[in-house]
Amino acid sequence: MERTLDNFVGQLLGVNAAPLNCPAWPPDLFAVCGTILHFTGGYLKLATIGDTYELLDENWIDQVRNRSAVWRESLEDQFGAQVSGEGPFDFESLEVPAFVDKLWQAILEIKDTTVADLFADISDEKQCKGLQAVLQLAALSDETSGGIGISTDDFFLLAAEVLCDQNNRSSYSSNVVFPAAVVLPKQHTPQRGFTLRSLTHNLSLHLSPDVFVVWRLLEIEKSPELLNVLLIPWPFEISSSSFEYLDELGAEIADGFSYFSFVPDGIKKTELECIRVFEEGIEAAQASVGKIHMVVFPELALSESLYKKIESSALEKGIILVAGVGEASEGDNVPRNQCRVQTAGLLELEKELNNDDTIRDAYRVVQDKHHRWCLDRDQILQYGLGGRLPASQQCWEYIDVSDRSLTFVTMSDWLTLCFLVCEDLARQDPAAGILRSVGPNLVIALLMDGPQLEKRWSAKYASVLAEDPGSSVLTVTSLGLCKRSSEQLGLEEPNQTIGCWRDSVHGLKELKLPKDKNLCVLSLVKSSVQEHSLDGRGDYFSAHTPVFAGVKYL
């Protein structure tokens, strides 16, 4: 039996019987309207050429902005009254403006229509008015939610953060059934193509995600518009003995199937050396460019114990740390390949708090790799591993991939970051849809890969994200694997292109270390443009992009 619109919306809101009241919290209303538009393709009617019907009034943009300002002010007053009464934020008691409820009633006029037939024939007056109402309410909800997830400058935004905390930082919805629909903030609106993502500036919708999403908002006192990022492509050397063939484990799965593990050779012996490189690298970088805001290590650069030591030092120095960490197996546990981010570096916490385990745990992001690395014959030969791994088979990285999450970190009003680990940049399911909808300003991909050349896979996928949704992308690999790759190609000097930068304004930049250098400082600066939604609304030049502003090799 096909679902009617009222059944469809009722299930989304967790309501089993009439009446279907209009959601009073804008992200909830957007979840309903966005889901309807997603399953019906109703938003595509905006792309129709000709004047067969008029979905948008000629004063559409002014109407949306004026009405959304009234709605936002009303919500501000209601939340302000709750707080002044020393009560918690109450989303259940919010009142719906009359003009919002009137549009909702137009949707209820077609509540008995099956979802499959919805908006199929908008020459029908009720169908046309119903689609107009859904589009207007989606736009109103989006416009009213300006700044959500980015700041806490008023009661509305503060209430949104309290709600997100209650939702384990995974959604800004209040009454929508989780995880059937997840509502998150947004930083970029695609300027090419026609998708639901093109319809909004401030809110993004994710339906039944199979990856757990986390949104972190940092309250940084002074938001830097120039960002200096130190890249440490550790380890500088990788021997073939770092790769171990797990032949018995693969044989248990299937014939011709094999696993390998990766643990940098002599990892305990090199711990002190890595700490020295980190400490001296920070000192040299600060002498060269001034304040260092972030340090990035590539995939599997650090052991768990080494990460904790580097993390403590980064907190002491007031620097955000992004690092690839290999968590060794213990007992029956499968090893983990993780990206770990200590986000508290720029929060100007008291130094005695920096080493507090509670503080460190609260601000640390831990994100497991989603996909295993598969070494085929060409790669085994490329990295000179023919004596360690069987080139006759595909060898898969032996790691746990059962815990899938994707974290967004907003560290200023213009910069939201997202992190990927190697394969996750290329194998875009299940994270790609969410990443494209949110449109983070900067994606950092930690790789275990060869030189980051413009012609290689990583640059290709970075370019895709730079075009849609408009994110800047940084890829970083180890100097050690760059050298191994160069050796097999018979190059007289190793190709030390340890990183690649791509932004939508200035294009691609290879980060190639000179032969006598092993560190790189990438400088980024904010660039702002105006983006337009599918219905013509501009975003007041609030689409920000970190762009290339220089590089120093140390």
Side-chain angles (χ1 to χ4, degrees):
M1 178 177 165
E2 294 189 63
R3 287 183 297 174
T4 57
L5 181 58
D6 59 342
N7 296 140
F8 184 78
V9 173
Q11 288 179 358
L12 192 61
L13 295 174
V15 178
N16 297 320
L20 276 177
N21 295 322
C22 180
W25 175 237
D28 286 350
L29 186 54
F30 170 70
V32 172
C33 295
T35 304
I36 293 172
L37 292 170
H38 170 79
F39 280 99
T40 64
Y43 64 91
L44 292 173
K45 303 296 184 182
L46 291 172
T48 301
I49 298 174
D51 58 356
T52 306
Y53 45 79
E54 286 291 340
L55 287 176
L56 306 185
D57 186 277
E58 61 180 6
N59 297 317
W60 164 269
I61 295 175
D62 288 339
Q63 287 178 2
V64 169
R65 287 179 172 168
N66 292 337
R67 289 177 174 178
S68 65
V70 172
W71 193 4
R72 180 67 169 259
E73 185 177 357
S74 171
L75 289 167
E76 278 287 299
D77 291 342
Q78 291 178 70
F79 284 129
Q82 292 174 9
V83 172
S84 64
E86 299 184 356
F89 291 118
D90 181 5
F91 294 85
E92 298 294 333
S93 66
L94 294 177
E95 297 178 1
V96 180
F99 57 84
V100 172
D101 192 58
K102 182 179 179 180
L103 291 169
W104 181 258
Q105 296 306 315
I107 296 176
L108 295 184
E109 285 289 314
I110 54 173
K111 63 184 178 64
D112 295 327
T113 307
T114 63
V115 175
D117 295 329
L118 205 59
F119 311 140
D121 178 16
I122 59 172
S123 62
D124 177 83
E125 184 178 0
K126 285 187 177 180
Q127 288 266 345
C128 187
K129 287 186 176 180
L131 178 54
Q132 288 175 325
V134 171
L135 290 169
Q136 288 184 60
L137 289 175
L140 277 169
S141 301
D142 178 57
E143 199 81 15
T144 303
S145 300
I148 196 167
I150 311 302
S151 71
T152 57
D153 290 341
D154 57 36
F155 287 127
F156 174 86
L157 298 176
L158 186 59
E161 290 310 304
V162 171
L163 178 60
C164 192
D165 280 339
Q166 294 172 358
N167 292 334
N168 295 318
R169 304 299 308 171
S170 62
S171 182
Y172 281 81
S173 62
S174 174
N175 288 320
V176 176
V177 175
F178 179 87
V182 169
V183 180
L184 290 175
K186 190 172 185 178
Q187 286 284 39
H188 276 293
T189 302
Q191 298 300 284
R192 298 288 186 273
F194 291 97
T195 71
L196 184 62
R197 297 183 288 111
S198 308
L199 196 59
T200 57
H201 291 301
N202 303 298
L203 297 174
S204 59
L205 178 65
H206 315 285
L207 302 174
S208 300
D210 55 351
V211 57
F212 185 76
V213 186
V214 179
W215 189 278
R216 299 278 190 106
L217 174 59
L218 304 183
E219 298 281 0
I220 296 176
E221 291 185 15
K222 187 176 181 180
S223 173
E225 295 202 0
L226 176 67
L227 201 68
N228 290 319
V229 183
L230 174 62
L231 311 183
I232 304 181
W234 189 262
F236 297 157
E237 304 287 342
I238 293 178
S239 70
S240 60
S241 60
S242 298
F243 294 81
E244 182 181 357
Y245 177 44
L246 306 176
D247 53 343
E248 293 183 1
L249 182 62
E252 294 176 2
I253 308 272
D255 292 337
F257 194 95
S258 57
Y259 278 116
F260 74 90
S261 64
F262 175 83
V263 179
D265 191 39
I267 194 166
K268 294 190 181 298
K269 296 179 183 178
T270 59
E271 228 179 63
L272 291 177
E273 175 67 8
C274 182
I275 294 172
R276 182 191 67 78
V277 168
F278 173 77
E279 297 287 345
E280 293 182 0
I282 295 291
E283 185 176 342
Q286 289 177 335
S288 178
V289 302
K291 171 67 177 175
I292 296 297
H293 303 90
M294 185 187 306
V295 175
V296 179
F297 285 89
E299 178 184 12
L300 293 173
L302 309 179
S303 66
E304 190 169 10
S305 62
L306 180 54
Y307 169 80
K308 290 179 179 178
K309 294 172 184 176
I310 298 287
E311 180 187 50
S312 293
S313 182
L315 282 169
E316 286 282 338
K317 299 176 189 302
I319 297 171
I320 287 179
L321 174 64
V322 181
V325 178
E327 186 179 90
S329 59
E330 294 184 6
D332 295 331
N333 294 334
V334 178
R336 290 180 177 272
N337 183 340
Q338 299 176 328
C339 171
R340 295 193 186 182
V341 186
Q342 180 48 258
T343 64
L346 298 182
L347 296 183
E348 301 182 15
L349 301 171
E350 296 293 333
K351 285 192 174 182
E352 55 266 25
L353 294 179
N354 288 344
N355 287 317
D356 185 302
D357 287 340
T358 302
I359 294 294
R360 290 199 291 186
D361 292 347
Y363 287 98
R364 185 189 302 122
V365 171
V366 178
Q367 182 175 306
D368 283 68
K369 189 176 182 180
H370 298 168
H371 299 277
R372 296 186 177 104
W373 183 17
C374 178
L375 281 168
D376 58 20
R377 174 182 172 81
D378 290 343
Q379 287 180 301
I380 289 172
L381 298 182
Q382 175 189 347
Y383 298 125
L385 301 175
R388 298 289 297 177
L389 304 177
S392 60
Q393 300 177 1
Q394 290 186 336
C395 290
W396 294 82
E397 180 183 15
Y398 183 55
I399 57 169
D400 189 342
V401 292
S402 61
D403 186 9
R404 285 180 165 176
S405 64
L406 188 66
T407 299
F408 297 92
V409 176
T410 294
M411 55 176 283
S412 73
D413 60 354
W414 70 275
L415 188 59
T416 296
L417 300 94
C418 182
F419 313 94
L420 299 173
V421 183
C422 205
E423 300 295 301
D424 304 345
L425 177 62
R427 317 295 174 203
Q428 296 187 40
D429 290 335
I434 298 173
L435 192 152
R436 289 183 186 282
S437 292
V438 169
N441 311 91
L442 174 58
V443 178
I444 298 178
L446 310 182
L447 310 185
M448 174 62 66
D449 190 34
Q452 296 301 286
L453 306 178
E454 182 175 1
K455 63 183 180 181
R456 297 196 64 237
W457 69 273
S458 51
K460 178 180 72 173
Y461 287 106
S463 296
V464 170
L465 291 175
E467 180 180 332
D468 179 6
S471 303
S472 296
V473 184
L474 169 66
T475 67
V476 184
T477 190
S478 68
L479 182 56
L481 213 55
C482 285
K483 290 179 178 178
R484 288 199 66 84
S485 181
S486 298
E487 289 172 4
Q488 299 308 307
L489 294 175
L491 301 179
E492 292 184 9
E493 293 184 358
N495 188 317
Q496 300 191 150
T497 308
I498 54 91
C500 181
W501 172 262
R502 179 69 162 86
D503 65 58
S504 60
V505 178
H506 301 297
L508 186 141
K509 171 71 176 178
E510 293 180 353
L511 305 176
K512 184 177 182 180
L513 296 174
K515 64 179 181 180
D516 59 339
K517 308 293 184 182
N518 51 25
L519 302 179
C520 168
V521 179
L522 176 65
S523 295
L524 308 173
V525 67
K526 180 175 78 170
S527 175
S528 302
V529 298
Q530 177 158 228
E531 293 177 344
H532 289 86
S533 57
L534 194 57
D535 59 345
R537 289 177 293 120
D539 64 356
Y540 307 97
F541 288 86
S542 63
H544 309 300
T545 303
V547 300
F548 180 80
V551 61
K552 293 281 187 180
Y553 299 110
L554 308 171

